[in-house]
Each structure stands twice: as structure tokens, then as C-alpha cells.
Amino acid sequence: MSRYLTPSKIGLLTLISLYTDSVVPTASTIPILTFIISLILPLNAAGATKDLNQVDQKVIISIDDFQNATITHASGVPGRTVWDLLLKRLWEINSFDALHVFFDNLSSLLVKTREEQQRDIENGVSLPIDRMLLSRTSPLGTFVRRAQLEFTRLQFHDTQVLWKSFITYCEPTLPTWKRRIAAAGKTTFDVNLQGNGLSWEDRLTDVLYGDLQQSGAQEGSISTDDVERLLEFQVDEMQKMGNRISEEMKDQFRSMVQTGVNVPSLSHYVKFLDSWKAGDYPSSFDNLHRYFDYTMHNRDRTFYQYALLNLAILQADFGCYSEAISAMQETISTTRENKDMGCLNFSLSWLYHFGKAHPGEMGEVSKSGMLGTEKEGLAFLRAKAKETGMWSLLSTTLLSEAKLLLTNGDSVAVAFENLVKATHLNITKNVTAMVGAQMAMQASIFGRLGKHIYQKTPHASILTVDVASGVTQLAWSYGETFLQCYASQSPNEDVLRGNLIAAGHFLAQLRAAPASDSEVAYSISLLHLELLIRQEDYSTALDTLEDYHAELAEGNSDIFQRVKLLTLKARILDKCGRPEKGFSIAIRAATIAHRARLLPALWDAVGAVSNVLINLKEFAAGGKMLESIMPQVLECEDCDLAARTYSLLVDAQMGQAGQAKPETPKRKEHLTKALEFIDRAFAEFSRIEDVQGQCEMMAKKATIMHLVGDLVLANDYAAKYLDIKREAANDDY
């Protein structure tokens, strides 16, 4: 069986010879070359060009594909298309000897080497001027040289198989050839049979070509190179898209195996990826070992570090974190030994991001000092990625440095500078895989600065703008994470609408699956806390919050997450009726947020401080504090934050009205402001469909109307309160 040559490649060589003979006009040059190049380059490179037809991405090209690609293009010969000339060239290979002559003459398509040119000059041989010559290093020249080399390597039996498969390959064009050449018949494929008057029924013909109608005649239609190209394309698609092998592709593999093709060892790697995506740990583990056993048998220890790298990623994906770290440490040691900088940089980057996602598992690595400090590790990765031209790793490192700065509360300007560098790199080097992470970081920076006009979020109640927008945009690059982020919107909406049972079921499903990202795990934790608060299970909420805070304290957690938990703890203490215990906590959250320039978190913390003042009957001080931050809160465009701030302003105004004397203008002024703030808070709660907030505002408004003696409006607002409850219950069902 041929390792490289097939009848379709002979067709490509024939078409290339027509191109070098200058019989292809200028208008048809680009379509013809596009067709050829798409078939000789790797499938992933050809598939990257969007304007290629579907036929250009096939592995096995039929004679009909050649006809469809060339029949519409006129040639340099009047009255003939490129397909007519191609058909003539194919039928001129009319004997086993003609096949050898055809491959021997392929050298005339190439530019001669310097030694051959010097020899021709000494012998007085002139260069051909009626045809163009291919550069020996061009894609076409490389293809011609390899085809000629592979033909000389063929054994006699393999050459016979190639010849017979070529006859079968051209057989569908016999009726068309008969219309051009009247003398053409069944034995036209071999000039020796036709010249000696031998028919198809003769004994000699039967001995030579009797098996053309059997399955063995198709043995040379597929080469090992075709299967390798198909497997490489499948590996690239599976690694890039994260999908499994389709049934159609499996059927194609089976049909190839049935033709007797030698299956490359890469097929074991494809099976490994397929088993991995299917969640079959034993099969994926066995196929991975089988693949690298074959490769190491042929290539010594060159690919040993890649075996360890795949093993580490596999172990981590199935939750075996300690085994994954051990395998990755051995990978790093092996890559340093083999001086494989590409694999070393990727391994260090993977280990760094693994440590950010699972800080509790990095004890041994931290003790060994393999990565050094975070800043040192990122600086090393940035320098090495730039040296080796690994643009994707360089973009990842720049974004990681920006994230580290935000996590530690350092300079936002430097973080934005790294973001701009990563954006420029993604555009200039076409690093499309990092666009999702870049947009996530951009949304996170703008969110922390309170500039949410650049990133809209319909629900900012539980999934804060920083978490919801950033994580969701990042998750577009990772299907599983996106599904978790998108699913987290369902319990969020159910909590806001008061459907706590459905929210609990959704949340249980989210917590059952391990989160693939630390920010996703954090957002799910916030969902859990908000659900407990809505259920008025404050003791459990406090215990759960302490557990989450302890988990954050173990690793190098984001400062924004810590501030958010502190503010949430102050809110829970207020719900418990002990707001004064949350005063120091709220002050601490505000101080940290101010130092780190986390503006939305700062306004939320200031609101918590003012809430404590209001509960301590310092209504004027609390109201002034809220009024001072209200413009900045509105600039954030966070509906939940604005609604809660307006609600606190209502409480402050009502407190001041209670302290004023009855029937005085000052008291009436405070009540009027309270009604105005209630309307604004109700509008903000309505935008996020927070039923509890809407009902609370209607209850406050009914209470005010009752206090001023307007019982009709009080009853109207009470009825509206019941209508909101009823509509929410009907929507749930």
C-alpha cells in the first residue's frame, strides 16, 4: 500500500504540469491554484480560508471534483477547457511504462539546482522558454519533489497497485474520452493491450487486470498520508472546539481501515481526545499511554514531555489534582532537560493558572519555589513568550498581570496599560482565541471603575456587574463555563421574583457540578448567600459566609470578592436586627474599597455604613452620606445598588420626618422627598424584576399615605402590593 501516492495525487500532478505549460489563462489562474493549494496543504490551513468550497476540504478527491473545478475555465488552446486538456493528459498515461515516464519527467517542472545549472551551461544546454518552472521550496515545488521521491521508493507490488487504482480512478471518464477519440475502448487504459489486439476476455488481460473489478483494485485509493491529514485535522478541531468525533467521521475512518490502509499512531490520540470529552477516564488514559508508547518507540524521548503534559491536563480535568501537579512538575523538569521552550512556557503558564483556580493544591509547588512569586513567574513567562514568539501565551500573560494588579488592588492605570498591550497583540498577531478573555478583563476594569455604560447587564442584583459581565464574556471561550454562567441567571431571576423553591433547585444543580473557574464559583457562592437571605435563614447565611471568607483567606483571593463579602455580612447583620455589629465591618469594607479604587463596592459599603447610622437614629448624618454618593451610584448604572440606596434614603427621610414636629413644613418636606425616593426605588426594582423590593416600596408608600391620613391612596397602594404578589405567583406557574 502506498504511503503517500494515490490516483488523486497523480491528477494533481497532471494539473500542475498543465499550469507550468502556461495553458491556463490569467483569469483562471487563481481558481485553479486555489483548488490545488487547498488539497496539498494541511486540512486546518485550507479550512481556515472561508471562501474555499466544501469540496476543497475533502481528503479523497474524486475525478468528478477535478471536472467541476476545471470544466468552467477556458484554456489557452482555442475551443478547449482546462478539463479537456487535463483529461487528455490523464489518458496519455496509458501504460505502466508511461506512468514511470510521467514521474521521471516531473523534474522538468522544477527549477534546477545550482550545480545542475552550472553543468547545463558547460554542456551548452539552454533553459526552456516555453514554460514556467516551479521553485523547489514553493508549496507546489515541494509537493512535486515529494511525489517523485515517494514514487522511487515504492516496491514493484505497490507500484502495480497504484497503477491499477489509477485505471479504476479514470474509468468514469471513459465515455467522455470516447466522444473525443472514436477508437477508444475498454482496453484503452493500456496501449500494449490495444496495440496487440488483446480484448478484455483474453487470458493475458485477465492475468494482468482481472482484479480491477474486485475490492483489491481500490487498495491504493487512500494513502497513509491522507489518513494522517484527516487525523491531524480532527485533532485540531477537537482541541480548538472541544467537541467529540461525529458519527460521519467515524464511518469515514472505518471505510478507510477497510481499504487496508495502515492506521497511524495518531489515531490513538484521536481516541484519547474522544474518550476524554466523553468522560471515559479509563479509556482516555489507556489510549494516551498507547499513543505515546508508539511515538516514543519511533522518536525516542522527544515527545515524552508532551505525554506528561497531556497526562497532567487529563488528571486535572477528572479531579485528580495532586496527580496532575506531580505530572506537571515532571513535565517542567523534562522540558528543561530537553530545552523545549515552547512546552516549558505552556507548562509554567498552565501551572500558574491552575494555582489561581485551586490555591489549596499548590502547597508543594509553593514550597519548592518552582514558580517563585506571582510577579516573578508572570515576568518570566512574558519574557520567554516574547522571545519564542508565542503570542497567545504573551497575551495570556499580559491579561494575567492585569488581573493580578486588580486582585491586589494595585494601580488601575498599569492594569489598563497591560490590557491595551494585549488588545494590540491580539489584533496585530490575529490571536482570536484570547479575544474573549480580553473583553472579560476590559469589562472587569470598567466595572470596578463604575463605568458600566461600556458594559450593560440586565441583572446586577446577585451576579455583580464585575462578576456577571466579566465571567460571562470570558465564558464564551469555554463552553462549560458559559453554560454555568448562563444557568446562574435562572436562579437569580427566580430569587428576584420570589420563586425561592425553583431557585433552590437550580442552585443545587449548579453547586453539584464543580465550577471550572474561580470567578464562576464565587458568583455561585453569592447566589447561595442571596437565596439564604431571601429565605430569612440568617444564621445559616452567616455560617456559610464565614466558610466562604475562610476559603478566600487561604488563597490569594481577589480584593473585590473580599470587599463584597464584608458588605454582604453587614447586610445580614442588619437583617438579623443587630446593625451596630456590622458598623466596623462596613467601615473596613469602605476603607479597602477606597484604597483599591473599587468604586461600586465603595458606594455599596458607604450605603452599609449609612444604614447603621440610620438604625442608630442618626438620620440626618446617614441621609447626607447617601445624598453625597447618589450621583456616583447613578453613574454606575447598577439597578440593584441604586434601588437599595434609594430605599435607604427613604428610611433616612422618614426618620427625619418622625423627628420633626407634626403639621410643620419640614415634616411635610421630608415626607414628600420620601415619596419621591420610593418612586425611584420602585422603578429601579422594576427594571430587575425584584418582586420583594417592589412590594417593600409599595408597603412603605401605603404606610406614608396612612400616616398623612389619605386612607384611599393607602388602600390603593396596598391593593397594588397584592397585585404584584399575585402577578409574580402567576408568572411562576
Side-chain angles (χ1 to χ4, degrees):
M1 190 215 71
S2 174
R3 195 170 65 93
Y4 183 76
L5 290 174
T6 58
S8 60
K9 287 188 173 64
I10 298 178
L12 285 175
L13 292 170
T14 307
L15 189 57
I16 292 174
S17 67
L18 286 176
Y19 168 71
T20 57
D21 288 343
S22 301
V23 297
V24 179
T26 304
S28 303
T29 299
I30 293 180
I32 295 298
L33 286 180
T34 301
F35 176 75
I36 297 173
I37 290 297
S38 65
L39 297 175
I40 64 178
L41 291 181
L43 285 177
N44 52 357
T49 306
K50 294 183 179 179
D51 55 353
L52 294 177
N53 348 5
Q54 191 173 2
V55 70
D56 295 331
Q57 301 182 29
K58 289 183 178 179
V59 176
I60 306 171
I61 305 300
S62 66
I63 195 67
D64 293 333
D65 296 327
F66 280 100
Q67 180 179 359
N68 296 333
T70 57
I71 197 171
T72 58
H73 301 287
S75 68
V77 180
R80 293 288 184 267
T81 63
V82 177
W83 166 246
D84 296 331
L85 301 182
L86 177 62
L87 188 63
K88 182 176 181 295
R89 289 285 180 93
L90 290 175
W91 281 97
E92 284 178 351
I93 306 176
N94 52 9
S95 66
F96 193 50
D97 178 68
L99 182 65
H100 284 78
V101 173
F102 172 78
F103 278 96
D104 291 340
N105 292 337
L106 290 179
S107 300
S108 62
L109 306 180
L110 304 171
V111 175
K112 294 185 178 180
T113 61
R114 182 176 300 177
E115 293 78 8
E116 292 174 340
Q117 292 177 4
Q118 185 66 29
R119 193 181 307 116
D120 289 344
I121 293 174
E122 294 174 356
N123 297 332
V125 179
S126 59
L127 296 175
I129 59 175
D130 58 339
R131 68 185 308 171
M132 69 176 71
L133 298 177
L134 302 174
S135 171
R136 305 180 72 87
T137 57
S138 66
L140 296 182
T142 304
F143 174 71
V144 171
R145 289 170 56 201
R146 182 176 180 185
Q148 189 178 35
L149 178 63
E150 292 292 342
F151 185 79
T152 59
R153 289 178 174 179
L154 288 179
Q155 301 292 330
F156 180 76
H157 171 72
D158 295 332
T159 310
Q160 272 190 324
V161 171
L162 178 63
W163 165 242
K164 291 180 180 180
S165 60
F166 177 72
I167 295 173
T168 306
Y169 188 76
C170 296
E171 185 179 2
T173 64
L174 181 59
T176 306
W177 185 242
K178 281 183 178 181
R179 289 196 295 268
R180 311 276 173 80
I181 306 297
K186 290 185 177 181
T187 58
T188 306
F189 59 85
D190 194 334
V191 68
N192 297 306
L193 298 179
Q194 196 172 25
N196 293 319
L198 296 175
S199 63
W200 191 259
E201 291 77 13
D202 290 331
R203 177 60 179 166
L204 181 59
T205 306
D206 182 65
V207 170
L208 293 176
Y209 301 109
D211 57 348
L212 284 180
Q213 303 299 327
Q214 302 176 7
S215 59
Q218 299 292 333
E219 183 181 350
S221 60
I222 303 174
S223 67
T224 305
D225 179 72
D226 294 331
V227 180
E228 286 181 350
R229 290 179 69 231
L230 184 60
L231 291 173
E232 289 173 358
F233 171 76
Q234 189 63 39
V235 168
D236 183 72
E237 288 295 308
M238 294 175 72
Q239 290 179 335
K240 182 167 41 177
M241 306 301 295
N243 53 1
R244 296 184 59 193
I245 304 178
S246 62
E247 292 299 326
E248 180 181 358
M249 188 64 67
K250 290 181 180 180
D251 294 338
Q252 193 169 356
F253 281 137
R254 295 190 191 100
S255 62
M256 288 181 175
V257 172
Q258 291 174 0
T259 61
V261 65
N262 291 332
V263 180
S265 60
L266 190 61
S267 62
H268 299 301
Y269 192 73
V270 174
K271 293 178 181 178
F272 152 69
L273 291 176
D274 188 57
S275 302
W276 181 10
K277 298 305 177 184
D280 188 355
Y281 177 76
S283 298
S284 58
F285 194 80
D286 292 342
N287 285 304
L288 179 64
H289 276 277
R290 189 174 292 114
Y291 168 67
F292 282 103
D293 284 345
Y294 279 110
T295 54
M296 287 185 62
H297 179 72
N298 299 325
R299 301 175 182 177
D300 200 18
R301 288 176 59 88
T302 307
F303 284 79
Y304 181 58
Q305 62 265 27
Y306 293 100
L308 294 171
L309 177 62
N310 280 272
L311 179 61
I313 298 174
L314 177 66
Q315 299 279 22
D317 194 60
F318 284 98
C320 304
Y321 298 134
S322 58
E323 292 83 352
I325 293 176
S326 300
M328 189 57 69
Q329 287 178 312
E330 189 173 354
T331 302
I332 294 173
S333 301
T334 307
T335 51
R336 285 174 174 167
E337 178 184 345
N338 295 337
K339 298 181 180 180
D340 189 344
M341 295 305 301
C343 185
L344 176 61
N345 294 339
F346 182 84
S347 303
L348 291 173
S349 176
W350 185 93
L351 192 60
Y352 169 79
H353 288 91
F354 179 84
K356 298 296 290 184
H358 307 282
E361 304 289 338
M362 298 295 291
E364 295 183 3
V365 178
S366 301
K367 292 178 182 178
S368 64
M370 180 175 291
L371 292 177
T373 63
E374 287 192 47
K375 291 185 178 180
E376 292 174 352
L378 290 174
F380 174 80
L381 287 174
R382 185 180 68 251
K384 293 301 180 182
K386 194 172 183 179
E387 288 178 6
T388 56
M390 300 178 66
W391 308 122
S392 178
L393 177 60
L394 180 58
S395 178
T396 303
T397 306
L398 290 171
L399 294 176
S400 298
E401 288 184 333
K403 185 175 181 180
L404 180 62
L405 291 169
L406 295 179
T407 299
N408 297 334
D410 294 332
S411 173
V412 178
V414 179
F416 208 89
E417 179 185 355
N418 287 333
L419 173 65
V420 173
K421 289 180 180 179
T423 304
H424 178 265
L425 185 66
N426 294 340
I427 295 174
T428 55
K429 302 300 181 181
N430 195 28
V431 188
T432 57
M434 296 306 302
V435 173
Q438 165 208 321
M439 296 301 293
M441 183 56 59
Q442 181 176 340
S444 181
I445 292 178
F446 282 128
R448 289 166 188 249
L449 294 176
K451 302 298 181 181
H452 300 306
I453 190 174
Y454 300 107
Q455 40 137 315
K456 300 290 186 179
T457 54
H459 299 287
S461 171
I462 302 170
L463 286 174
T464 64
V465 174
D466 181 74
V467 177
S469 294
V471 177
T472 305
Q473 292 179 43
L474 172 63
W476 280 104
S477 302
Y478 307 95
E480 179 186 355
T481 308
F482 173 72
L483 290 177
Q484 288 180 329
C485 289
Y486 185 77
S488 65
Q489 297 293 331
S490 295
N492 184 21
E493 294 175 358
D494 286 325
V495 168
L496 293 175
R497 292 172 180 170
N499 191 2
L500 302 182
I501 297 177
H505 289 310
F506 275 116
L507 188 59
Q509 295 178 16
L510 286 174
R511 298 181 65 196
S516 54
D517 188 89
S518 58
E519 293 186 358
V520 177
Y522 167 70
S523 63
I524 294 175
S525 302
L526 288 184
L527 282 171
H528 186 208
L529 289 173
E530 186 69 23
L531 178 62
L532 292 173
I533 293 173
R534 295 297 178 105
Q535 291 174 341
E536 299 183 357
D537 190 357
Y538 302 125
S539 59
T540 306
L542 277 175
D543 294 339
T544 305
L545 188 144
E546 292 295 340
D547 294 338
Y548 290 152
H549 197 275
E551 292 178 4
L552 292 178
E554 291 179 0
N556 189 13
S557 59
D558 193 340
I559 193 172
F560 179 84
Q561 298 177 2
R562 298 200 298 269
V563 171
K564 187 64 180 177
L565 288 181
L566 288 174
T567 308
L568 194 59
K569 186 175 182 180
R571 284 179 54 196
I572 295 175
L573 290 173
D574 174 59
K575 296 285 186 181
C576 295
R578 304 293 298 275
E580 63 280 356
K581 295 193 65 175
F583 183 75
S584 60
I585 297 174
I587 290 291
R588 180 185 175 192
T591 304
I592 297 174
H594 180 265
R595 188 186 306 121
R597 291 169 293 281
L598 303 175
L599 300 185
L602 174 60
W603 313 140
D604 197 8
V606 170
V609 174
S610 63
N611 182 41
V612 176
L613 294 176
I614 291 171
N615 282 276
L616 295 176
K617 297 184 179 182
E618 296 292 339
F619 303 113
K624 289 180 181 179
M625 187 178 294
L626 291 170
E627 289 176 355
S628 65
I629 67 169
M630 199 65 223
Q632 290 78 10
V633 170
L634 294 177
E635 286 181 1
C636 293
E637 295 189 356
D638 186 339
C639 296
D640 179 68
L641 178 59
R644 287 189 286 107
T645 307
Y646 276 129
S647 179
L648 291 174
L649 276 170
V650 173
D651 296 339
Q653 294 296 330
M654 288 299 296
Q656 294 180 70
Q659 291 177 344
K661 295 181 179 180
E663 304 297 334
T664 59
K666 188 175 182 180
R667 183 172 188 178
K668 186 177 296 185
E669 178 186 354
H670 288 305
L671 290 176
T672 303
K673 287 184 177 180
L675 290 173
E676 180 185 354
F677 291 143
I678 286 176
D679 291 335
R680 295 184 180 183
F682 182 83
E684 298 294 338
F685 280 127
S686 299
R687 289 181 183 178
I688 58 176
E689 301 180 5
D690 189 341
V691 175
Q692 182 178 355
Q694 296 177 57
C695 292
E696 184 179 346
M697 293 303 104
M698 286 297 101
K700 288 182 178 181
K701 204 166 188 180
T703 303
I704 294 176
M705 292 296 104
H706 185 76
L707 290 174
V708 299
D710 195 341
L711 299 181
V712 176
L713 285 179
N715 291 332
D716 290 342
Y717 291 131
K720 191 172 182 180
Y721 173 94
L722 297 176
D723 291 340
I724 294 173
K725 285 275 191 181
R726 191 180 304 109
E727 289 176 4
N730 293 335
D731 290 341
D732 294 338
Y733 291 103

